């Protein structure tokens, strides 16, 4: 499989010339307007997925280095002032962060936040679903790559599949209507379980999304050969379960391509970061648990918001920091480029 790279350089000059947007908008030099912020609330996790974390000797951030809810709230306020509308909480595992519903409550009541969502591994969901819902959370993604305990243990190096399934049911009972499942298909690991997982999601009215395996594992063992492309997953589902029909997206910045089952029962999405990069329409920024902005999952540079927050810095300084972060965003992730350098941080440290 070749890894394609979004080439948008030629459009950049055009956008620069015709950019008539609000000066306060986070528009980069390629004309991409940033409206989405992923906020990592912790780098800690209660499982150890091989595609993300090391198995042992994980050094987590000291708690004092992790942003407080009040610090996150201030950053979000500044980001809203610059046009951010969507917030997704992630990690590490966000539900291991103490009192998370309090942060949900703070963010859900901000008038500028049009969409607040959370990505979780689901282990603690049964305990927390109701509190999260009561705090104002409406959208939730649960990561689930397999329905076999043995495969789950192989991937996560922990037990817990039944707990996650109970968590999904609890989320449903708590009133979450839109529950999405994130799955990574990996050769010789869970490739043969794709159809079973798709079938399960259809039966339980869950929207399934396949994300291609990216070179962000802490063990640095990622190999292109292990990647099962979105197209391969789609063919498998089409051939073995039910035909899939492409849906047209109302939101061009949406990285997932959605397909509806031809019998009308549910849909399935594909985030094909490697085989069909969506960098050209990327509108995302990230804030790590330690308060560093990143402009790309594969970026190698940090913009230090925490230094401003803890150094009595002004909102104007945070604005300038965010604008600089956006101004320095590259055209694409460049994984296919021979000069590609893996980020110094792994998925759990950046916030997926
Ligand atoms: N702990 C939560 C969870 O697993 O849902 C939230 C954080 S996790 C880093 C967010 C998402 O990133 C998960 O859906 C996970 O499957 C995905 N992810 C982690 N490592 C990945 C990798 N190397 N390539 C692609 N997706 C990855
Ligand atoms: Fe934890 Fe999520 Fe990373 Fe798995 S993908 S190790 S659940 S942070």
């Amino acid at each position: 499989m070749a890894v394609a790279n979004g080439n948008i350089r030629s459009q950049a000059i055009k956008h620069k010339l015709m950019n008539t947007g609000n000066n306060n908008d986070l528009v980069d030099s390629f004309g991409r307007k940033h409206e989405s912020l992923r906020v990592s609330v912790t780098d800690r996790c209660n499982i150890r997925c091989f595609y993300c974390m090391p198995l042992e000797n994980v050094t987590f951030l000291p708690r004092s280095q992790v942003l407080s809810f009040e610090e996150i709230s201030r950053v979000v306020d500044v980001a809203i002032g610059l046009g951010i509308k969507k917030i997704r909480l992630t990690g590490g595992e966000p539900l291991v962060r103490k009192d998370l519903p309090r942060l949900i409550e703070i963010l859900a009541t901000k008038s500028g936040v049009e969409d607040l969502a959370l990505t979780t591994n689901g282990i603690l969901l049964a305990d927390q679903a109701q509190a999260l819902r009561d705090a104002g959370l409406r959208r939730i993604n649960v990561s689930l790559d397999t329905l076999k305990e043995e495969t789950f243990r192989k991937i996560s190096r922990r037990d817990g599949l039944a707990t996650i399934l109970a968590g999904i049911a609890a989320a449903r009972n708590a009133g979450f209507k839109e529950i999405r499942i994130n799955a990574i298909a990996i050769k010789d690991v869970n490739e043969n379980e794709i159809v079973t997982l798709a079938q399960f999601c259809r039966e339980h009215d869950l929207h399934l999304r396949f994300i291609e395996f990216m070179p962000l594992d802490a063990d640095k063992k990622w190999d292109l050969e292990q990647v099962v492309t979105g197209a391969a997953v789609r063919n498998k589902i089409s051939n073995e379960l039910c035909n899939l029909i492409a849906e047209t997206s109302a939101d061009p910045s949406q990285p997932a391509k959605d397909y509806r089952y031809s019998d009308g029962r549910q849909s399935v999405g594909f985030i094909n970061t490697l085989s069909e990069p969506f960098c050209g329409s990327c509108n995302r920024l990230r804030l790590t648990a330690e308060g560093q902005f990143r402009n790309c999952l594969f970026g190698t540079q940090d913009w230090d918001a925490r230094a401003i927050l803890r150094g009595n810095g002004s909102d104007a300084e945070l604005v300038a920091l965010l604008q600089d972060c956006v101004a320095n965003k590259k055209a694409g992730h460049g994984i296919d480029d021979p000069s590609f350098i893996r980020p110094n941080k792994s998925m759990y440290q950046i916030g997926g």
Side-chain angles (χ1 to χ4, degrees):
M1 180 197 66
V3 177
N5 196 358
N7 184 358
I8 56 170
R9 275 187 187 86
S10 58
Q11 289 168 29
I13 300 162
K14 196 169 144 204
H15 274 293
K16 262 186 182 164
L17 293 173
M18 48 183 266
N19 181 8
T20 53
N22 180 340
N23 272 347
N24 275 341
D25 286 345
L26 293 168
V27 181
D28 71 10
S29 51
F30 302 96
R32 295 170 295 195
K33 186 175 167 190
H34 291 75
E35 296 186 331
S36 168
L37 178 66
R38 299 203 151 210
V39 177
S40 172
V41 294
T42 181
D43 62 338
R44 290 167 198 253
C45 189
N46 40 12
I47 57 176
R48 294 286 181 273
C49 307
F50 74 84
Y51 47 65
C52 176
M53 290 188 85
L55 174 59
E56 285 166 339
N57 305 322
V58 196
T59 315
F60 292 115
L61 292 167
R63 281 173 210 281
S64 61
Q65 287 185 21
V66 173
L67 292 195
S68 68
F69 291 164
E70 286 65 33
E71 287 170 328
I72 291 173
S73 172
R74 184 171 164 208
V75 171
V76 168
D77 283 339
V78 168
I80 289 171
L82 293 169
I84 294 291
K85 296 182 169 71
K86 294 179 167 191
I87 306 282
R88 176 171 293 275
L89 300 180
T90 182
E93 171 48 38
L95 300 192
V96 303
R97 176 79 190 251
K98 198 162 171 266
D99 291 335
L100 190 74
R102 190 166 76 78
L103 178 64
I104 301 278
E105 213 170 308
I106 294 171
L107 299 179
T109 47
K110 290 190 190 297
S111 59
V113 176
E114 292 176 8
D115 183 37
L116 177 63
L118 170 100
T119 303
T120 172
N121 63 25
I123 298 269
L124 295 173
L125 196 52
D127 297 339
Q128 297 187 25
Q130 194 63 60
L132 293 167
R133 174 89 193 166
D134 294 347
L137 187 67
R138 292 293 173 268
R139 292 212 305 118
I140 203 160
N141 284 23
V142 182
S143 302
L144 180 68
D145 307 313
T146 176
L147 293 166
K148 280 192 192 163
E149 187 63 58
E150 189 193 339
T151 313
F152 182 82
R153 229 176 273 131
K154 198 167 162 187
I155 294 174
S156 70
R157 283 100 59 109
R158 293 285 188 278
D159 291 329
L161 177 60
T163 319
I164 296 170
L165 298 178
I168 295 170
R172 187 70 88 205
N173 288 338
F176 285 98
K177 292 188 181 68
E178 228 188 289
I179 303 174
R180 289 199 165 138
I181 302 297
N182 288 355
I184 308 178
I186 301 174
K187 274 219 172 86
D188 301 329
V189 177
N190 63 344
E191 194 186 3
N192 294 334
E193 300 177 38
I194 289 168
V195 173
T196 319
L197 190 61
Q199 177 94 54
F200 172 87
C201 289
R202 257 157 73 86
E203 277 165 15
H204 292 83
D205 198 22
L206 301 160
H207 176 80
L208 175 61
R209 259 186 188 176
F210 284 93
I211 307 169
E212 286 177 346
F213 180 19
M214 297 180 267
L216 289 168
D217 56 317
D219 292 338
K220 297 193 166 55
K221 288 188 178 155
W222 177 90
D223 182 340
L224 195 54
E225 291 301 310
Q226 296 171 287
V227 177
V228 183
T229 62
V233 173
R234 202 176 75 226
N235 285 339
K236 211 170 173 47
I237 294 176
S238 263
N239 294 336
E240 297 176 32
L241 181 60
C242 182
N243 202 26
L244 289 169
I245 301 158
E247 289 194 313
T248 39
S249 170
D251 178 0
S253 66
Q254 182 55 253
K257 276 194 182 166
D258 287 341
Y259 289 77
R260 182 147 285 281
Y261 288 103
S262 60
D263 64 2
R265 194 168 166 208
Q266 258 298 340
S267 56
V268 57
F270 300 92
I271 302 190
N272 302 335
T273 317
L274 303 174
S275 63
E276 296 173 67
F278 40 86
C279 304
S281 58
C282 175
N283 72 346
R284 293 177 181 190
L285 296 170
R286 292 185 151 79
L287 180 68
T288 67
E290 57 189 321
Q292 312 295 311
F293 282 117
R294 288 211 160 194
N295 57 22
C296 175
L297 201 42
F298 297 94
T300 50
Q301 198 181 338
D302 286 321
W303 279 262
D304 191 354
R306 193 183 61 196
I308 297 175
L309 291 164
R310 297 193 180 170
N312 277 328
S314 64
D315 283 358
E317 284 173 75
L318 286 171
V319 167
L321 186 80
L322 255 172
Q323 286 174 333
D324 190 56
C325 173
V326 169
N328 281 285
K329 184 154 167 159
K330 292 187 181 148
H333 57 48
I335 297 175
D336 208 16
D337 196 319
S339 64
F340 174 71
I341 301 167
R342 273 185 63 133
N344 52 351
K345 289 181 175 153
S346 307
M347 192 61 124
Y348 73 103
Q349 297 166 310
I350 306 166

